[in-house]
Amino acid sequence: MAHADPEPPAANASEAVKKLNELSKEAEAAAEQWHKAQDDLAARKAEQDKATADVQQFGKDAEQARAKEAEFRVQVDKLTNASFQGARFNQLSALLVSDSPQDFLDQMSALELLANDNKQALDRLAGVKAQTEEAERKAKEAQAKAAKAAEDAAKIEADLAKRKQELDAKVAKAKEQANRLTAAEKASRSGTGESVNVGPGSGKGYEALMVALEQRGKPYVWGATGPNSFDCSGLVVYSFRRVGVQLKNRSTYGLVTEGTPVPRSQLQPGDMVFTNNNEHMGIYVGDNKFVHAPTEGDVVKVSSLDSQQFYAARRI
C-alpha cells in the first residue's frame, strides 16, 4: 500500500495554518476531556445500578434471615420453658423418683437430651442472628454507595454540560479559522499522508490497524466515531470494534489504561499510540508512522510519529 501527499512541515506552514493547528489542539484536548466525562458518567451510573441491585438482594437476605431468627427463637423459648419447669430435676431427684437403675438412666438421658437440644437451638439462633446483622449491614452499605454514585453522576452531568459548551466554542473557532485557509492549504490537508508499507502481522491490534487504514481520506469531526467521519479516539474505538474488540473507554485518558504498556522501542503494527500529553492518539503502522484522525479540516491519514510528542503506547 503506497500513498503520497505528506503533511506540510509545521515550520513552513502559513500563519493561518499555524493558528488553525493551535486552535484545533485546544479543541481536541477539550473533546478528550468531554469523552472522559462521558466515560466517568457511565461508570458512576453502572456503579449506581449495581449498588441498587445489591440493596434489593441484601434486603431479601436480611428478610429471610429475620424469618429464620423468629423460627429458632420460638424453638429456644419452648426449650427454655421446658428446662425451667424441670430445673430442679437434678441427679438426686432423678435417683429418688426412679423405680429402677434403668429408669434412672432413662431420666438422666432425657435431661441430657434436653440440655443438648437447648444448646443447639441457641447456637442456631446466634448464627442466624449474625447472618441477619451482616445482611442488614451490607444493605446499608449498598444504599450508601448507591446514594454516593447518584450524587457523583449528578455532578458529572453538570460538568459534562459545561465541558460541552466549552468544546462547542473551541470547535466553532477552529472551524472559522479552517474556512480562512486558501484552496491550496485545504488541498494539502486532504491527502492520505505519508507512504506506508505494512508487513505481515496477526492479532486483534493488527486487524484493527487494517480497518483504520481503510478509513484514510475520511474527514476529522469532533466526537465522531464513524463510519463516515472520526475524531482521534473515535477512529481507534471504531477500528477495534470492527474486529470484535469492545474497548471499555472512549477517551484517550481511559484508553491509555487498557491493554498492556509498550515502550516506544518495541512498538508493533496495531499498538495504540498516545501523543501530545495524552490528548491525541492513533494506531502504529510501523516504520515510525501511525494512522490517525489529526484535526479540523484534515482527514484520516498516516503521519510520522516524530510529528507528535510521544506519550505512551498500549497493546490490546
Side-chain angles (χ1 to χ4, degrees):
M1 290 177 283
H3 297 274
D5 281 324
E7 294 175 272
N12 298 330
S14 70
E15 288 303 316
V17 170
K18 289 178 181 177
K19 181 64 174 176
L20 172 57
N21 290 339
E22 180 185 325
L23 291 171
S24 295
K25 187 176 180 181
E26 292 178 5
E28 188 170 35
E32 291 307 319
Q33 290 167 0
W34 178 54
H35 293 325
K36 181 180 185 299
Q38 289 179 308
D39 287 343
D40 290 343
L41 178 61
R44 293 293 81 73
K45 288 197 170 181
E47 185 179 327
Q48 182 183 355
D49 290 343
K50 183 183 183 305
T52 301
D54 286 345
V55 169
Q56 295 176 344
Q57 183 57 54
F58 292 139
K60 288 179 182 177
D61 291 345
E63 186 177 342
Q64 291 174 355
R66 280 192 292 269
K68 287 183 179 179
E69 184 181 342
E71 177 185 337
F72 286 134
R73 194 174 293 279
V74 169
Q75 185 179 356
V76 167
D77 288 345
K78 287 181 178 178
L79 288 169
T80 300
N81 186 50
S83 298
F84 177 75
Q85 290 178 352
R88 296 181 178 277
F89 194 62
N90 52 27
Q91 290 187 9
L92 177 60
S93 57
L95 179 62
L96 293 173
V97 299
S98 296
D99 295 330
S100 66
Q102 184 60 49
D103 189 24
F104 171 71
L105 292 175
D106 291 341
Q107 296 277 12
M108 291 306 302
S109 178
L111 283 174
E112 186 176 350
L113 284 174
L114 182 62
N116 286 337
D117 286 347
N118 200 27
K119 183 180 182 306
Q120 289 176 10
L122 283 169
D123 289 344
R124 286 195 296 266
L125 177 59
V128 172
K129 186 174 177 58
Q131 289 176 13
T132 303
E133 290 173 353
E134 178 67 7
E136 288 175 342
R137 183 187 65 78
K138 287 182 177 179
K140 191 174 181 179
E141 284 182 357
Q143 197 166 19
K145 283 184 181 178
K148 181 66 167 58
E151 182 183 347
D152 289 346
K155 289 179 181 177
I156 293 172
E157 283 183 319
D159 182 59
L160 197 60
K162 179 184 175 184
R163 289 190 181 279
K164 186 63 168 65
Q165 287 182 337
E166 293 173 352
L167 172 60
D168 289 343
K170 291 180 184 296
V171 168
K173 285 184 180 180
K175 286 184 175 180
E176 183 182 346
Q177 183 64 28
N179 291 332
R180 295 177 182 174
L181 301 185
T182 65
E185 287 169 337
K186 289 179 181 178
S188 71
R189 300 168 74 86
S190 62
T192 53
E194 296 196 7
S195 60
V196 56
N197 185 18
V198 184
S202 61
K204 291 299 182 181
Y206 187 85
E207 292 175 23
L209 168 61
M210 295 297 105
V211 173
L213 289 171
E214 291 172 3
Q215 313 312 311
R216 281 177 293 176
K218 292 183 179 180
Y220 179 100
V221 174
W222 277 283
T225 55
N228 300 316
S229 58
F230 304 89
D231 66 9
C232 69
S233 53
L235 173 67
V236 175
V237 170
Y238 171 84
S239 299
F240 274 95
R241 186 171 65 240
R242 276 275 304 273
V243 299
V245 177
Q246 186 66 49
L247 296 171
K248 297 176 183 178
N249 297 280
R250 171 65 177 86
S251 72
T252 55
Y253 300 104
L255 291 166
V256 78
T257 66
E258 298 198 36
T260 55
V262 182
R264 185 170 180 175
S265 60
Q266 296 179 24
L267 283 172
Q268 294 178 7
D271 290 341
M272 297 189 299
V273 287
F274 302 82
T275 65
N276 298 347
N277 200 31
N278 198 28
E279 292 173 351
H280 188 67
M281 74 178 301
I283 301 178
Y284 189 65
V285 176
D287 195 24
N288 200 39
K289 299 173 184 178
F290 75 130
V291 59
H292 64 139
T295 188
E296 174 63 25
D298 212 332
V299 295
V300 176
K301 63 174 57 174
V302 173
S303 301
S304 168
L305 200 51
D306 290 335
S307 67
Q308 309 275 322
Q309 275 189 317
F310 181 80
Y311 179 80
R314 309 287 290 193
R315 183 169 297 155
I316 300 298

